Amino acid sequence: MPTADRSPLIAPDDGHALLNPIGGYMTLKLRDAMTAGAYSVHENVLPAGSPGPRPHLHRYHQETFYVLEGELTVRVGEQTLQAPAGSFVVIPRGVVHQPSNPGAQPTRVLLIFSPGGMDRFFIEAAEGRHPLQARVEAPDVLEQLQAFTTRYGYEFAEWPEGT
C-alpha cells in the first residue's frame, strides 16, 4: 500500500495479499480509503482452468477488468467475451457476469471497483473463507453467505435455461 507519508507510488511488491475466494491469488493494491472512497484496485490471478466465481452481479459497484497477462473469458448476459492482454471489460452495476479462465495458462488482471467498498468485501471473503465459487447446500453456511453478500450488494444469479 502507499507508504505512511502518502507516497503516490505503489511498488510491484506493495499491497495486501489475500486468499482469493476462487483460487489463485489476489493482492489489494489500492484501498478505497486512499481514493476518498472513489474506487479500489485489486491484482488478481485466475489459475488455468478456473471457472471463476458463480454468476453474480454488483448492486452498488461497477467492475472493470484490465487484462495484464493471458486471456480472460467473461460471460456477460448472453455474450461470452474473450479478452486478451491489454483489454478492458467494463461491467455496469446490476449486470450479471462471470469471469473465468478456461485456458491452460494463468490469467492476471487488475480489478477496479467503483465506488470503493469492495476492498472490504474481499478481505472479509478471505478471512471468512466465504465460498464464491461453489454452490452452498448447508443451511448455516448459506445463511452466513447470504448475510455477507447482502452487506456488499453482491448477488448470485442464474443464467436463463438454454443460454
Side-chain angles (χ1 to χ4, degrees):
M1 302 302 306
T3 60
D5 65 0
R6 301 288 231 205
S7 170
L9 174 67
I10 300 169
D13 292 335
D14 287 349
H16 181 82
L18 299 171
L19 175 66
N20 192 329
I22 62 166
Y25 74 85
M26 175 179 275
T27 303
L28 177 53
K29 299 299 280 185
L30 186 61
R31 294 190 69 153
D32 63 315
M34 299 304 297
T35 66
Y39 61 94
S40 62
V41 178
H42 315 250
E43 182 180 3
N44 192 18
V45 173
L46 282 82
S50 174
R54 290 174 38 205
H56 64 281
L57 61 87
H58 304 277
R59 288 278 173 218
Y60 313 134
H61 300 92
Q62 176 170 296
E63 182 175 14
T64 301
F65 299 89
Y66 178 62
V67 183
L68 298 168
E69 295 174 5
E71 183 173 83
L72 182 69
T73 299
V74 184
R75 181 162 179 196
V76 183
E78 294 183 12
Q79 294 182 323
T80 298
L81 309 172
Q82 303 301 325
S87 299
F88 280 91
V89 179
V90 180
I91 309 294
R93 291 179 184 116
V95 173
V96 177
H97 62 286
Q98 182 180 27
S100 64
N101 177 18
Q105 300 297 318
T107 297
R108 190 167 66 99
V109 299
L110 283 182
L111 301 175
I112 305 164
F113 288 96
S114 174
M118 287 301 286
D119 58 345
R120 291 183 301 280
F121 172 89
F122 285 106
I123 290 169
E124 190 174 334
E127 289 173 352
R129 297 190 185 268
H130 293 292
L132 301 181
Q133 195 170 49
R135 295 196 184 281
V136 175
E137 301 292 330
D140 58 330
V141 176
L142 188 58
E143 185 178 326
Q144 290 174 348
L145 182 61
Q146 181 67 41
F148 164 65
T149 57
T150 298
R151 279 195 299 279
Y152 296 96
Y154 184 105
E155 296 177 24
F156 292 110
E158 298 296 330
W159 300 116
E161 286 190 38
T163 62

